[in-house]
Amino acid sequence: MSQVISIIKIGGNVIDDEQALHSFLVKFHSISGPKILVHGGGKLASRMADRLGIETRMVDGRRITDDQTIDIVTMTYAGLLNKHIVAQLTALGCTAMGMCGADGNAIPAHLRPKQPIDFGWVGDVNPAELNTVLISTLLNAGVTPVFCAITHDGEGHLLNTNADSVATALAQACSGMGQTRLVFCLEKNGVLLDIDDPSSLISHINAESFERLRAEGVINKGMLPKIEGALKAVQGGVGEVVIKHADNLLLPIGTTIRN
Amino acid sequence: MSQVISIIKIGGNVIDDEQALHSFLVKFHSISGPKILVHGGGKLASRMADRLGIETRMVDGRRITDDQTIDIVTMTYAGLLNKHIVAQLTALGCTAMGMCGADGNAIPAHLRPKQPIDFGWVGDVNPAELNTVLISTLLNAGVTPVFCAITHDGEGHLLNTNADSVATALAQACSGMGQTRLVFCLEKNGVLLDIDDPSSLISHINAESFERLRAEGVINKGMLPKIEGALKAVQGGVGEVVIKHADNLLLPIGTTIRN
């Protein structure tokens, strides 16, 4: 493809706020060229579990996904949330196609090993096995895939999957079709030198500056695996990874990670 | 397309029984040529509404779909049920793509008028507006669309829709691409001369014999709109409509309606 392919991931801060979501979708629709949206689940699954009297158990920020919980996340992520987004995008004139990883065998994954922690029906993507033919057929047909972070094991089981990993795998798969740009929308403007100073945005990171920033403790905690994943993605063929606030989707404000 | 396109609809008697569903999907997968599956919702939505303490209200066998209920049917039909079917089909080697009518703007519909009964978020399909380009692209790519009976109004609202109507509209849309065959799987072998005698199956019905069978009272109640709809479909270009038991999907046992 001659145009840049954009893969954009949104999380709870956008999904859980009806107005923020609508405002984001309007911006997303205005991005020209082929694009893919990946959404996390936000708080909906936990709220639904609460209403159904099912205990939500998290370890290291990841949901323990037992038999009842995989049904809940499938209902809320692949059903309610995904179709709600698709209907809104279609209303804007975007030919959006809501998908999970089982649809068209788009994103094969495998059950996470039960040691050291048994997370239940949680999967890790098999990045080399994505159905690039299907994804390319859809993009060439002017369709915008909208993925929730449910994948499958190829044996009939749905798997709860990390949405960042789904977005990264999709960006890498698309990098074989043309130049790709992977955007993670956060509640922050990007990576900040001083977490309390929004104006201290670091506009560019590469492998070299990352090592320095990590040694200085500027990049730590949750941002560490994000930047490591981004660097792996650009090393794997993705043109660039951008971390930015959803409000700034169309603005040149954010942290760009390049090789 | 040179091969016959099969559009097959299943309802509660298959969906609500895990074993019957699996056995059906194995048979469905073995049908050669392009095909589309349409599934109703079964009892799952009512069970979920019960668990959430939301009253299920039905008028003339149709669900009154208020704000909470459209969320429940979207979760259960487009989420849990649809993705469960897709994961199973994919495990069988079928490239299944789970969709609702909002996906790819495949099935536009309109809100049913609020008079004489306000059914809430219930829609009727706009048969002339189906996205045949997308459906044909998917079928040509070897993808098997799996539709739940949720459509949309093009303004961002999802609509609970009759699954028979969705299947009929899809068959009519596909009849522009090649010869189509629409199959309704019921809990009976087809239309019976004597409802208490399974061997009294009527193998063929056309417009002429329908008038006679209706006058004789053989076709009545729920079967009446089904056969009327089937006759309309064949008059509208569908090659044939077959009413049969899901167990007999691959067997020549059933009632065939032709022009």
Side-chain angles (χ1 to χ4, degrees), chain B residues 26 37 71 75 103 113 118 133 136 142 160 179 192 194 229 237 239 241 257:
Chain B
V26 170
L37 180 60
D71 282 356
M75 288 198 303
D103 291 305
D118 182 359
V133 174
S136 147
N160 190 12
Q179 209 189 324
L192 304 174
D194 174 358
V241 180
I257 295 108

Side-chain angles (χ1 to χ4, degrees), chain A residues 134-149:
Chain A
L134 174 66
I135 294 163
S136 146
T137 300
L138 293 173
L139 294 176
N140 279 317
V143 172
T144 297
V146 176
F147 278 95
C148 67

Side-chain angles (χ1 to χ4, degrees), chain A residues 48 51-52 54 68 71 75 79-80 83 86-87 90-91 95-98 100 102-105 134 143 152 154-156, chain B residues 48 51-52 54 68 71 75 79-80 83 86-87 90-91 95-100 102-105 134 143 152 154-156:
Chain A
M48 192 54 63
R51 286 183 63 185
L52 292 169
I54 295 162
Q68 291 197 82
D71 282 357
M75 289 197 304
L80 193 51
K83 300 315 170 194
V86 164
T90 307
T95 308
M97 173 82 88
C100 77
D103 290 305
N105 196 19
L134 174 66
V143 172
H152 75 131
E155 290 168 19
Chain B
M48 192 54 63
R51 287 183 63 184
L52 292 169
I54 295 162
Q68 290 197 84
D71 282 356
M75 288 198 303
L80 193 50
K83 299 315 171 196
V86 164
T90 307
T95 308
M97 173 83 89
M99 297 173 71
C100 78
D103 291 305
N105 196 20
L134 174 66
V143 172
H152 75 131
E155 291 169 19

Side-chain angles (χ1 to χ4, degrees), chain A residues 215-233:
Chain A
E216 289 166 0
V218 172
I219 298 176
N220 55 25
K221 293 181 188 164
M223 202 52 95
L224 206 57
K226 246 188 172 52
I227 308 292
E228 281 173 336
L231 281 168
K232 242 189 231 172

